[in-house]
Amino acid sequence: MNFSDVASLLHTADLTVSGKGIASAKVILTGFVVVFSVLVILIFIIKIYSAIVSKAQQTGKKKKIKVKEPEQPTTAKTEIEVPAPAPLPVENDGIPEEVVAVISAAVATMYDSPEKAKIKSIKKSGGGRSAWANAGVLDNTRPF
């Protein structure tokens, strides 16, 4: 029995109230079955996609880096002079050296080599509103 048959049964005057109720229940039940079966299919598709993506991410992380073992020093010792690194031209506005070191480390991790990015100066921000004041402004000016 398809939907057109049910619709034609509902429009006939020969059906009683109980007959129309049974026909309506069949239509509703069919709709529930279709909707929930499609939802179950979508859940399986999303789980399969999630498994594929997580497997791709795991293989990307598992790339092994081969580190060459250091060569054994020869019997003749040679001294190599390494020039001292140039100090950072940082303006000292009361910023602790530890903070400068952390900022420098964060910038160095963003780039592969230290030659690509250099820190010219580190300054404190200009104050302004506190975090609570910013949250209040954002909350009160958010569009509806």
Side-chain angles (χ1 to χ4, degrees):
M1 179 177 273
N2 57 23
F3 289 111
S4 61
D5 294 338
V6 172
S8 65
L9 288 176
L10 289 175
H11 292 296
T12 60
D14 296 340
L15 285 177
T16 62
V17 174
S18 64
K20 288 182 181 180
I22 292 172
S24 299
K26 288 180 182 178
V27 170
I28 292 172
L29 184 64
T30 304
F32 280 144
V33 168
V34 168
V35 167
F36 285 113
S37 62
V38 169
L39 285 175
V40 168
I41 290 170
L42 285 174
I43 289 171
F44 284 126
I45 289 172
I46 291 171
K47 285 191 181 228
I48 290 170
Y49 181 72
S50 173
I52 291 170
V53 169
S54 65
K55 184 177 263 189
Q57 288 177 347
Q58 292 296 330
T59 56
K61 289 181 182 178
K62 289 184 179 179
K63 289 183 180 178
K64 293 183 179 178
I65 300 173
K66 294 183 179 180
V67 178
K68 294 181 182 178
E69 292 186 23
E71 296 178 9
Q72 296 295 329
T74 59
T75 56
K77 293 185 179 180
T78 57
E79 292 185 18
I80 300 173
E81 292 185 25
V82 178
L88 292 175
V90 177
E91 296 178 12
N92 191 358
D93 292 336
I95 301 172
E97 291 181 12
E98 293 85 10
V99 174
V100 174
V102 169
I103 293 171
S104 301
V107 170
T109 57
M110 292 296 294
Y111 298 98
D112 293 334
S113 66
E115 290 83 26
K116 289 187 179 178
K118 293 185 180 181
I119 299 173
K120 292 183 179 181
S121 68
I122 298 174
K123 297 178 184 177
K124 287 186 176 182
S125 65
R129 293 187 181 117
S130 68
W132 289 103
N134 284 336
V137 169
L138 288 174
D139 190 42
N140 291 326
T141 59
R142 186 174 295 135
F144 297 105

